[in-house]
Amino acid sequence: MLGTTLIILIVLIALSVPIAAALGTLGLALDQLYSGGFLWRGLADNAWQTSIEFLLVAIPMFVLLGEILLRAGIAQRMYAALVQWLSWLPGGLMHSNIGACAMFAATSGSSVATAATVGTVALPEVEKRGYNERLFLGTLAAGGTLGILIPPSINLIVYGLLTDTSVPELYLAGFIPGLILAGLFMVAVILFCTFRPSLDGDKVETSWRERARVLPDLLPPLGIFLVVVGSIYAGIATPTEAASLGVVAALVLAACYRSLSISMLREAIEGTMKTTAMVMLIIMAAIFLNFVLGMIGLTQALATFITSLGLSPFQTLLAVIVFYLVLGCFMETLSMLITTAPIITPIIVGLGYDPVWFGILLMVMLEAALITPPIGVNLYVVQGVRGSGPMSDVMVGVIPFLLAMFAMIALLVGFPEIATWLPSLFY
């Protein structure tokens, strides 16, 4: 049963079937093969129950928030300010890429939106300042992954929904690991540009007066972050309501910058509808697949297989990490999260591990999947923004940052307090 499932999934992916259609087709195929073709009748009910989940309203809200920041020019101002503050480091603007991704991640909640937004702003600088294009592209693809780790994160909301884990606790747990991972990315850039100066580009001439002048441009993203996350921990709003408050704050900022217009709102809403439709279709297809897997007994069979191996808790955890890193080469991250978290998380928690800690570890593994060929979504996002040149440039450019992610996974396994300290402090 497990072998048949994997073969069908791999064939669908190899045929470049869109991931939502692949998951739905897999569910229907398993229904026909192992349950007599009756489970498809639950598709409508599954789709309805999924789409009315209040927590999922946060997804279009966070996407709209990112769209407004991009189209109002706030993201460009933020990037220009970070250039003045970070470009003195070895690697120059590549640190601005990572810093801008970290700040934008703290407002958008989406890795794809983060990579696309910062990439749109940063890529014109490659030729202008003579940077090594591969490493520059790698910073954008890898930096964009921070969108699913640094709060507010859409994927953390989905994980909390699937595993009945507190989203505010997950948000708290994501702070420190997100900052550490951004720091590891910057260390990777420094090391590569120190030992191979040819990878660096022309330095940006600046002064402390210029840095002070652009400092206010860093405040709007921080203000929105405080509105969104602060309202959650102040007890004023749920994560969904906080996302709506973030949209209101973004609209106010757009009005202050005189960028608010009917045409801008129309473009932002159209972009939000396209992204939300894609995400919700994946979620509904994956929820139906989970339903089929549970009904045909594959979920229970997999859990029984893992426990029958007789591995220690730590060995089981290592096996799960390897499983996710390999699976990430062939599967899109959101669908991977939805299809595996309800199966794997109870096993890990049953071994004595903290579900909040595992949620953060899972996000880092999903981040690795975002930049792992051949399915890594952020690779295609950055290449799409780039518009020309071989795809291999982006794939080679992310290798140093994949190594940084492996180091982050090791840190989380060796020192769980990195993720659990803040939640334990508040709760």
Side-chain angles (χ1 to χ4, degrees):
M1 190 186 296
L2 180 60
T4 304
T5 302
L6 290 175
I7 289 171
I8 295 173
L9 180 61
I10 291 171
V11 169
L12 290 170
I13 291 174
L15 292 173
S16 299
V17 176
I19 196 66
L23 295 177
T25 303
L26 177 59
L28 293 172
L30 294 176
D31 175 26
Q32 291 293 327
L33 289 172
Y34 298 108
S35 70
F38 294 104
L39 297 179
W40 68 269
R41 297 175 183 176
L43 178 58
D45 185 60
N46 271 275
W48 173 253
Q49 293 299 327
T50 301
S51 59
I52 64 173
E53 175 59 51
F54 180 67
L55 196 57
L56 291 180
V57 178
I59 293 176
M61 289 294 102
F62 281 128
V63 175
L64 179 58
L65 172 57
E67 288 279 346
I68 292 171
L69 292 179
L70 171 63
R71 299 179 191 283
I74 297 171
Q76 290 89 331
R77 292 170 180 265
M78 175 189 70
Y79 184 81
L82 285 171
V83 167
Q84 300 296 325
W85 281 92
L86 298 177
S87 60
W88 61 274
L89 291 166
L93 297 188
M94 289 186 277
H95 295 288
S96 303
N97 295 346
I98 296 167
C101 285
M103 291 192 70
F104 196 80
T107 58
S108 75
S110 166
S111 287
V112 171
T114 301
T117 300
V118 179
T120 301
V121 177
L123 276 173
E125 301 293 329
V126 176
E127 291 187 13
K128 187 187 300 183
R129 299 193 179 274
Y131 281 92
N132 176 271
E133 191 169 17
R134 287 181 170 180
L135 191 61
F136 197 94
L137 293 169
T139 60
L140 294 171
T145 66
L146 296 170
I148 66 172
L149 181 59
I150 296 177
S153 162
I154 292 173
N155 287 48
L156 282 176
I157 291 176
V158 175
Y159 174 83
L161 176 68
L162 293 172
T163 62
D164 197 24
T165 305
S166 166
V167 173
E169 285 191 55
L170 287 167
Y171 275 8
L172 277 175
F175 275 116
I176 297 176
L179 294 176
I180 291 176
L181 185 57
L184 289 174
F185 288 164
M186 296 178 78
V187 168
V189 171
I190 290 172
L191 290 176
F192 271 77
C193 290
T194 298
F195 290 103
R196 291 189 60 187
S198 61
L199 300 177
D200 206 346
D202 299 334
K203 296 297 180 185
V204 175
E205 297 296 330
T206 187
S207 64
W208 284 107
R209 175 177 293 180
E210 184 63 20
R211 288 170 179 158
R213 186 187 67 80
V214 299
L215 196 57
D217 291 333
L218 296 176
L219 298 180
L222 292 175
I224 290 179
F225 176 76
L226 290 175
V227 167
V228 174
V229 178
S231 62
I232 294 174
Y233 296 114
I236 300 172
T238 65
T240 301
E241 293 163 347
S244 303
L245 288 174
V247 171
V248 173
L251 289 171
V252 171
L253 285 173
C256 292
Y257 281 105
R258 297 183 179 180
S259 302
L260 187 61
S261 65
I262 297 297
S263 61
M264 187 275 281
L265 283 176
R266 184 175 62 249
E267 291 173 1
I269 292 171
E270 286 177 356
T272 301
M273 291 174 67
K274 291 176 182 177
T275 303
T276 304
M278 176 190 70
V279 171
M280 288 302 297
L281 195 58
I282 292 172
I283 289 176
M284 286 189 286
I287 291 292
F288 172 68
L289 177 59
N290 285 339
F291 168 68
V292 173
L293 293 177
M295 293 301 292
I296 66 176
L298 185 60
T299 302
Q300 297 88 331
L302 182 59
T304 303
F305 171 73
I306 292 174
T307 54
S308 68
L309 293 175
L311 301 175
S312 68
F314 182 69
Q315 289 172 330
T316 304
L317 178 64
L318 291 182
V320 167
I321 291 172
V322 172
F323 165 75
Y324 271 109
L325 293 177
V326 173
L327 188 63
C329 296
F330 307 102
M331 202 169 180
E332 190 271 334
T333 52
L334 183 60
S335 52
M336 186 164 67
L337 169 65
I338 295 171
T339 52
T340 61
I343 302 171
I344 300 295
T345 304
I347 297 172
I348 294 297
V349 173
L351 294 173
Y353 291 103
D354 188 295
V356 173
W357 168 82
F358 181 67
I360 301 305
L361 179 66
L362 179 55
M363 290 306 118
V364 178
M365 293 187 288
L366 293 179
E367 286 186 313
L370 278 168
I371 56 173
T372 305
I375 305 295
V377 174
N378 274 24
L379 302 177
Y380 295 96
V381 170
V382 171
Q383 177 67 10
V385 174
R386 180 191 184 198
S388 63
M391 183 71 185
S392 59
D393 286 347
V394 192
M395 294 180 177
V396 172
V398 298
I399 292 175
F401 308 103
L402 269 175
L403 298 177
M405 287 180 179
F406 296 157
M408 187 70 232
I409 291 171
L411 285 173
L412 281 169
V413 172
F415 305 96
E417 299 81 9
I418 293 173
T420 59
W421 179 68
L422 268 181
S424 65
L425 203 64
F426 276 74
Y427 294 94

